[in-house]
Amino acid sequence: MQKIISAIVADIGKVLLGKEHQVKLALACLLARGHLLIEDLPGMGKTTLAHALAQVLGLSYKRVQFTSDMLPADILGVSVFERESGQFRFHEGPVFSQLLLADEINRSSPKTQSALLEAMEERQVSIDGETRPLPEPFFVIATQNPLQQSGTFVLPESQLDRFLMRISLGYPTREAERALFQGIDPRAQLAQLKPRINSEGLRKLQSLVGQVKASESLLDYLERLVQHSRHSPECAVGLSPRGALALLHAARAWALIHNRGHLLPEDLQAVLPAVAGHRLQSDGGDGAQLVERMMHQVDIIAA
């Protein structure tokens, strides 16, 4: 399995140059059965990363461009009356795919954003009084532009909390950008990607995440991080139990990617910014800054 994981990371690295850490975070998110939010400026490769993950993981993939005039039915589907049969027939929306790319999700209204809440939490949608299961596995990768850009809506806290991780790709390195200037076309590379695994193999990898062992001392460190977020005067809102479990699951997936069967403090630290940055709130601080200070203020070994 380690060879497959390494091949997946390497293949995506051919498309998204110089972003190995972000690629591993995205893969860890999916292995931990979570949903991923990618926040960055337009043109940074957010959509490319989502498409590449779908390709190499062998997942059915649909992309929805979110706009201000979208309705929930545009995502979930709608029942249409058919004159021939005299009955309503449900037409599935794009949410009925294994990997849904919600592109620029914060350009739609909160009403449309909330259409994904049940799908992300329960892996099902309820329409016209009937509950319909979604494909297995099911992931949402959403992209959003910075809130200072025009035409954007703030994602509500309940929606943000459904995302296991929030990451940012950032500008490419000088070497990666020079390669782009010299003619390496990510879209051409993307078209050449082949599946490295199928749905059954992916579910097996996900089951291995739960087998990564966490010692009592490691869980003590996790607990100190969580308690610090809840009681620090810098944090107006700390990590919820769901956020704490998300941190543990993500760290286990990170350890698995690095071929370890047990957790290290470094695994928690590696995923902490992506897992906690969008969950922590303060009156004047940034979530990333809170996480950075938390890692410096909380001892790995109890005093």
Side-chain angles (χ1 to χ4, degrees), residues 42-73:
M44 291 295 192
K46 303 184 296 293
T47 303
T48 300
L49 174 57
H51 197 175
L53 281 166
Q55 289 274 88
V56 297
L57 296 176
L59 300 173
S60 62
Y61 166 83
K62 290 182 181 176
R63 173 181 176 270
V64 178
Q65 179 65 50
F66 278 61
T67 57
S68 59
D69 59 349
M70 278 189 69
L71 298 174

mmCIF file of all heavy atoms in Angstrom, residues 42-73:
data_model
loop_
_atom_site.group_PDB
_atom_site.id
_atom_site.type_symbol
_atom_site.label_atom_id
_atom_site.label_comp_id
_atom_site.label_asym_id
_atom_site.label_seq_id
_atom_site.Cartn_x
_atom_site.Cartn_y
_atom_site.Cartn_z
ATOM 1 N N PRO A 42 -7.751 33.133 -7.330
ATOM 2 C CA PRO A 42 -8.002 32.422 -8.590
ATOM 3 C C PRO A 42 -6.685 32.125 -9.312
ATOM 4 O O PRO A 42 -5.726 32.899 -9.241
ATOM 5 C CB PRO A 42 -8.854 33.424 -9.392
ATOM 6 C CG PRO A 42 -9.471 34.326 -8.368
ATOM 7 C CD PRO A 42 -8.467 34.428 -7.265
ATOM 8 N N GLY A 43 -6.651 30.984 -9.997
ATOM 9 C CA GLY A 43 -5.502 30.643 -10.820
ATOM 10 C C GLY A 43 -4.360 29.975 -10.095
ATOM 11 O O GLY A 43 -3.260 29.844 -10.650
ATOM 12 N N MET A 44 -4.586 29.505 -8.855
ATOM 13 C CA MET A 44 -3.515 28.888 -8.072
ATOM 14 C C MET A 44 -3.461 27.366 -8.213
ATOM 15 O O MET A 44 -2.571 26.734 -7.667
ATOM 16 C CB MET A 44 -3.670 29.251 -6.588
ATOM 17 C CG MET A 44 -3.390 30.713 -6.299
ATOM 18 S SD MET A 44 -1.683 31.146 -6.620
ATOM 19 C CE MET A 44 -1.623 32.762 -5.861
ATOM 20 N N GLY A 45 -4.438 26.778 -8.899
ATOM 21 C CA GLY A 45 -4.423 25.328 -9.083
ATOM 22 C C GLY A 45 -5.390 24.575 -8.201
ATOM 23 O O GLY A 45 -5.284 23.351 -8.073
ATOM 24 N N LYS A 46 -6.378 25.267 -7.635
ATOM 25 C CA LYS A 46 -7.340 24.605 -6.741
ATOM 26 C C LYS A 46 -8.141 23.538 -7.483
ATOM 27 O O LYS A 46 -8.259 22.384 -7.041
ATOM 28 C CB LYS A 46 -8.285 25.641 -6.118
ATOM 29 C CG LYS A 46 -7.592 26.751 -5.353
ATOM 30 C CD LYS A 46 -8.577 27.681 -4.675
ATOM 31 C CE LYS A 46 -9.456 28.456 -5.631
ATOM 32 N NZ LYS A 46 -8.683 29.434 -6.442
ATOM 33 N N THR A 47 -8.706 23.927 -8.621
ATOM 34 C CA THR A 47 -9.498 22.985 -9.421
ATOM 35 C C THR A 47 -8.631 21.855 -9.960
ATOM 36 O O THR A 47 -9.054 20.696 -10.008
ATOM 37 C CB THR A 47 -10.181 23.731 -10.581
ATOM 38 O OG1 THR A 47 -10.979 24.790 -10.052
ATOM 39 C CG2 THR A 47 -11.060 22.792 -11.385
ATOM 40 N N THR A 48 -7.413 22.174 -10.336
ATOM 41 C CA THR A 48 -6.490 21.156 -10.857
ATOM 42 C C THR A 48 -6.214 20.090 -9.815
ATOM 43 O O THR A 48 -6.183 18.888 -10.120
ATOM 44 C CB THR A 48 -5.172 21.824 -11.294
ATOM 45 O OG1 THR A 48 -5.451 22.788 -12.308
ATOM 46 C CG2 THR A 48 -4.192 20.791 -11.841
ATOM 47 N N LEU A 49 -6.006 20.495 -8.560
ATOM 48 C CA LEU A 49 -5.758 19.529 -7.491
ATOM 49 C C LEU A 49 -6.951 18.598 -7.300
ATOM 50 O O LEU A 49 -6.785 17.382 -7.180
ATOM 51 C CB LEU A 49 -5.456 20.271 -6.186
ATOM 52 C CG LEU A 49 -5.317 19.398 -4.932
ATOM 53 C CD1 LEU A 49 -4.232 18.340 -5.094
ATOM 54 C CD2 LEU A 49 -5.036 20.259 -3.695
ATOM 55 N N ALA A 50 -8.158 19.151 -7.289
ATOM 56 C CA ALA A 50 -9.357 18.326 -7.111
ATOM 57 C C ALA A 50 -9.509 17.320 -8.250
ATOM 58 O O ALA A 50 -9.789 16.138 -8.022
ATOM 59 C CB ALA A 50 -10.594 19.219 -7.024
ATOM 60 N N HIS A 51 -9.317 17.778 -9.487
ATOM 61 C CA HIS A 51 -9.449 16.898 -10.642
ATOM 62 C C HIS A 51 -8.383 15.813 -10.616
ATOM 63 O O HIS A 51 -8.658 14.638 -10.924
ATOM 64 C CB HIS A 51 -9.365 17.726 -11.923
ATOM 65 C CG HIS A 51 -9.891 17.008 -13.129
ATOM 66 N ND1 HIS A 51 -10.006 17.619 -14.368
ATOM 67 C CD2 HIS A 51 -10.321 15.728 -13.305
ATOM 68 C CE1 HIS A 51 -10.494 16.737 -15.229
ATOM 69 N NE2 HIS A 51 -10.679 15.591 -14.610
ATOM 70 N N ALA A 52 -7.159 16.173 -10.239
ATOM 71 C CA ALA A 52 -6.077 15.194 -10.192
ATOM 72 C C ALA A 52 -6.346 14.118 -9.141
ATOM 73 O O ALA A 52 -6.089 12.929 -9.372
ATOM 74 C CB ALA A 52 -4.752 15.895 -9.897
ATOM 75 N N LEU A 53 -6.871 14.519 -7.994
ATOM 76 C CA LEU A 53 -7.212 13.533 -6.957
ATOM 77 C C LEU A 53 -8.261 12.552 -7.466
ATOM 78 O O LEU A 53 -8.157 11.338 -7.242
ATOM 79 C CB LEU A 53 -7.723 14.254 -5.710
ATOM 80 C CG LEU A 53 -6.663 14.864 -4.787
ATOM 81 C CD1 LEU A 53 -7.311 15.820 -3.797
ATOM 82 C CD2 LEU A 53 -5.908 13.769 -4.041
ATOM 83 N N ALA A 54 -9.280 13.070 -8.142
ATOM 84 C CA ALA A 54 -10.313 12.187 -8.686
ATOM 85 C C ALA A 54 -9.726 11.208 -9.699
ATOM 86 O O ALA A 54 -10.081 10.026 -9.714
ATOM 87 C CB ALA A 54 -11.424 13.022 -9.326
ATOM 88 N N GLN A 55 -8.816 11.696 -10.524
ATOM 89 C CA GLN A 55 -8.218 10.850 -11.560
ATOM 90 C C GLN A 55 -7.411 9.703 -10.961
ATOM 91 O O GLN A 55 -7.603 8.542 -11.314
ATOM 92 C CB GLN A 55 -7.306 11.695 -12.450
ATOM 93 C CG GLN A 55 -8.022 12.665 -13.360
ATOM 94 C CD GLN A 55 -8.459 12.044 -14.670
ATOM 95 O OE1 GLN A 55 -9.554 11.488 -14.751
ATOM 96 N NE2 GLN A 55 -7.633 12.122 -15.669
ATOM 97 N N VAL A 56 -6.495 10.031 -10.046
ATOM 98 C CA VAL A 56 -5.583 8.992 -9.543
ATOM 99 C C VAL A 56 -6.268 8.070 -8.541
ATOM 100 O O VAL A 56 -5.828 6.931 -8.348
ATOM 101 C CB VAL A 56 -4.317 9.612 -8.918
ATOM 102 C CG1 VAL A 56 -3.524 10.382 -9.947
ATOM 103 C CG2 VAL A 56 -4.654 10.499 -7.733
ATOM 104 N N LEU A 57 -7.354 8.526 -7.916
ATOM 105 C CA LEU A 57 -8.073 7.676 -6.969
ATOM 106 C C LEU A 57 -9.194 6.888 -7.644
ATOM 107 O O LEU A 57 -9.892 6.112 -6.986
ATOM 108 C CB LEU A 57 -8.653 8.516 -5.828
ATOM 109 C CG LEU A 57 -7.621 9.221 -4.927
ATOM 110 C CD1 LEU A 57 -8.326 10.091 -3.893
ATOM 111 C CD2 LEU A 57 -6.714 8.208 -4.243
ATOM 112 N N GLY A 58 -9.380 7.083 -8.940
ATOM 113 C CA GLY A 58 -10.380 6.326 -9.679
ATOM 114 C C GLY A 58 -11.806 6.628 -9.255
ATOM 115 O O GLY A 58 -12.653 5.730 -9.224
ATOM 116 N N LEU A 59 -12.109 7.893 -8.956
ATOM 117 C CA LEU A 59 -13.432 8.275 -8.468
ATOM 118 C C LEU A 59 -14.240 8.958 -9.566
ATOM 119 O O LEU A 59 -13.686 9.695 -10.379
ATOM 120 C CB LEU A 59 -13.295 9.243 -7.281
ATOM 121 C CG LEU A 59 -12.531 8.724 -6.054
ATOM 122 C CD1 LEU A 59 -12.339 9.859 -5.055
ATOM 123 C CD2 LEU A 59 -13.258 7.557 -5.416
ATOM 124 N N SER A 60 -15.549 8.718 -9.568
ATOM 125 C CA SER A 60 -16.414 9.477 -10.460
ATOM 126 C C SER A 60 -16.421 10.929 -9.984
ATOM 127 O O SER A 60 -16.442 11.211 -8.790
ATOM 128 C CB SER A 60 -17.835 8.905 -10.446
ATOM 129 O OG SER A 60 -18.418 8.994 -9.156
ATOM 130 N N TYR A 61 -16.408 11.860 -10.946
ATOM 131 C CA TYR A 61 -16.102 13.249 -10.623
ATOM 132 C C TYR A 61 -17.072 14.181 -11.331
ATOM 133 O O TYR A 61 -17.349 14.015 -12.517
ATOM 134 C CB TYR A 61 -14.652 13.528 -11.063
ATOM 135 C CG TYR A 61 -14.234 14.969 -11.114
ATOM 136 C CD1 TYR A 61 -13.821 15.631 -9.965
ATOM 137 C CD2 TYR A 61 -14.224 15.676 -12.320
ATOM 138 C CE1 TYR A 61 -13.404 16.961 -10.006
ATOM 139 C CE2 TYR A 61 -13.801 17.004 -12.371
ATOM 140 C CZ TYR A 61 -13.394 17.631 -11.203
ATOM 141 O OH TYR A 61 -12.987 18.935 -11.257
ATOM 142 N N LYS A 62 -17.605 15.125 -10.579
ATOM 143 C CA LYS A 62 -18.440 16.164 -11.170
ATOM 144 C C LYS A 62 -18.065 17.502 -10.561
ATOM 145 O O LYS A 62 -17.751 17.599 -9.371
ATOM 146 C CB LYS A 62 -19.933 15.885 -10.947
ATOM 147 C CG LYS A 62 -20.437 14.689 -11.747
ATOM 148 C CD LYS A 62 -21.910 14.458 -11.549
ATOM 149 C CE LYS A 62 -22.389 13.229 -12.335
ATOM 150 N NZ LYS A 62 -23.810 12.929 -12.079
ATOM 151 N N ARG A 63 -18.097 18.523 -11.413
ATOM 152 C CA ARG A 63 -17.736 19.871 -10.988
ATOM 153 C C ARG A 63 -18.938 20.791 -11.142
ATOM 154 O O ARG A 63 -19.613 20.777 -12.168
ATOM 155 C CB ARG A 63 -16.567 20.392 -11.832
ATOM 156 C CG ARG A 63 -16.200 21.843 -11.599
ATOM 157 C CD ARG A 63 -15.046 22.247 -12.515
ATOM 158 N NE ARG A 63 -14.706 23.667 -12.392
ATOM 159 C CZ ARG A 63 -15.237 24.637 -13.098
ATOM 160 N NH1 ARG A 63 -16.170 24.349 -14.010
ATOM 161 N NH2 ARG A 63 -14.862 25.892 -12.918
ATOM 162 N N VAL A 64 -19.186 21.580 -10.102
ATOM 163 C CA VAL A 64 -20.266 22.563 -10.138
ATOM 164 C C VAL A 64 -19.666 23.933 -9.893
ATOM 165 O O VAL A 64 -18.977 24.150 -8.888
ATOM 166 C CB VAL A 64 -21.338 22.272 -9.070
ATOM 167 C CG1 VAL A 64 -22.420 23.346 -9.111
ATOM 168 C CG2 VAL A 64 -21.947 20.905 -9.295
ATOM 169 N N GLN A 65 -19.917 24.850 -10.814
ATOM 170 C CA GLN A 65 -19.477 26.234 -10.643
ATOM 171 C C GLN A 65 -20.553 26.982 -9.865
ATOM 172 O O GLN A 65 -21.664 27.183 -10.359
ATOM 173 C CB GLN A 65 -19.254 26.893 -12.000
ATOM 174 C CG GLN A 65 -18.826 28.348 -11.924
ATOM 175 C CD GLN A 65 -17.463 28.515 -11.268
ATOM 176 O OE1 GLN A 65 -16.508 27.840 -11.637
ATOM 177 N NE2 GLN A 65 -17.387 29.403 -10.293
ATOM 178 N N PHE A 66 -20.258 27.356 -8.644
ATOM 179 C CA PHE A 66 -21.237 28.040 -7.810
ATOM 180 C C PHE A 66 -21.335 29.510 -8.217
ATOM 181 O O PHE A 66 -20.323 30.181 -8.408
ATOM 182 C CB PHE A 66 -20.847 27.929 -6.335
ATOM 183 C CG PHE A 66 -21.256 26.628 -5.700
ATOM 184 C CD1 PHE A 66 -20.763 25.418 -6.174
ATOM 185 C CD2 PHE A 66 -22.141 26.607 -4.632
ATOM 186 C CE1 PHE A 66 -21.145 24.224 -5.607
ATOM 187 C CE2 PHE A 66 -22.533 25.415 -4.051
ATOM 188 C CZ PHE A 66 -22.039 24.214 -4.538
ATOM 189 N N THR A 67 -22.568 29.983 -8.321
ATOM 190 C CA THR A 67 -22.836 31.374 -8.684
ATOM 191 C C THR A 67 -23.919 31.919 -7.763
ATOM 192 O O THR A 67 -24.597 31.168 -7.042
ATOM 193 C CB THR A 67 -23.310 31.485 -10.148
ATOM 194 O OG1 THR A 67 -24.483 30.668 -10.329
ATOM 195 C CG2 THR A 67 -22.227 31.021 -11.110
ATOM 196 N N SER A 68 -24.115 33.216 -7.799
ATOM 197 C CA SER A 68 -25.054 33.863 -6.877
ATOM 198 C C SER A 68 -26.505 33.469 -7.140
ATOM 199 O O SER A 68 -27.348 33.591 -6.249
ATOM 200 C CB SER A 68 -24.899 35.379 -6.966
ATOM 201 O OG SER A 68 -25.142 35.821 -8.291
ATOM 202 N N ASP A 69 -26.817 33.022 -8.369
ATOM 203 C CA ASP A 69 -28.210 32.696 -8.689
ATOM 204 C C ASP A 69 -28.505 31.198 -8.614
ATOM 205 O O ASP A 69 -29.582 30.753 -9.023
ATOM 206 C CB ASP A 69 -28.574 33.217 -10.082
ATOM 207 C CG ASP A 69 -27.685 32.636 -11.181
ATOM 208 O OD1 ASP A 69 -26.660 32.001 -10.835
ATOM 209 O OD2 ASP A 69 -28.006 32.816 -12.365
ATOM 210 N N MET A 70 -27.581 30.413 -8.074
ATOM 211 C CA MET A 70 -27.816 28.971 -7.963
ATOM 212 C C MET A 70 -28.869 28.658 -6.914
ATOM 213 O O MET A 70 -29.020 29.366 -5.926
ATOM 214 C CB MET A 70 -26.518 28.242 -7.591
ATOM 215 C CG MET A 70 -25.600 27.968 -8.751
ATOM 216 S SD MET A 70 -24.243 26.878 -8.237
ATOM 217 C CE MET A 70 -25.154 25.353 -7.978
ATOM 218 N N LEU A 71 -29.585 27.553 -7.138
ATOM 219 C CA LEU A 71 -30.572 27.056 -6.189
ATOM 220 C C LEU A 71 -30.133 25.691 -5.667
ATOM 221 O O LEU A 71 -29.363 24.985 -6.331
ATOM 222 C CB LEU A 71 -31.941 26.946 -6.853
ATOM 223 C CG LEU A 71 -32.557 28.248 -7.378
ATOM 224 C CD1 LEU A 71 -33.846 27.940 -8.135
ATOM 225 C CD2 LEU A 71 -32.812 29.212 -6.226
ATOM 226 N N PRO A 72 -30.613 25.282 -4.492
ATOM 227 C CA PRO A 72 -30.255 23.948 -3.976
ATOM 228 C C PRO A 72 -30.548 22.819 -4.960
ATOM 229 O O PRO A 72 -29.793 21.849 -5.035
ATOM 230 C CB PRO A 72 -31.111 23.829 -2.713
ATOM 231 C CG PRO A 72 -31.291 25.232 -2.249
ATOM 232 C CD PRO A 72 -31.391 26.050 -3.505
ATOM 233 N N ALA A 73 -31.630 22.944 -5.733
ATOM 234 C CA ALA A 73 -31.978 21.891 -6.697
ATOM 235 C C ALA A 73 -30.918 21.727 -7.772
ATOM 236 O O ALA A 73 -30.787 20.645 -8.359
ATOM 237 C CB ALA A 73 -33.331 22.200 -7.345
#
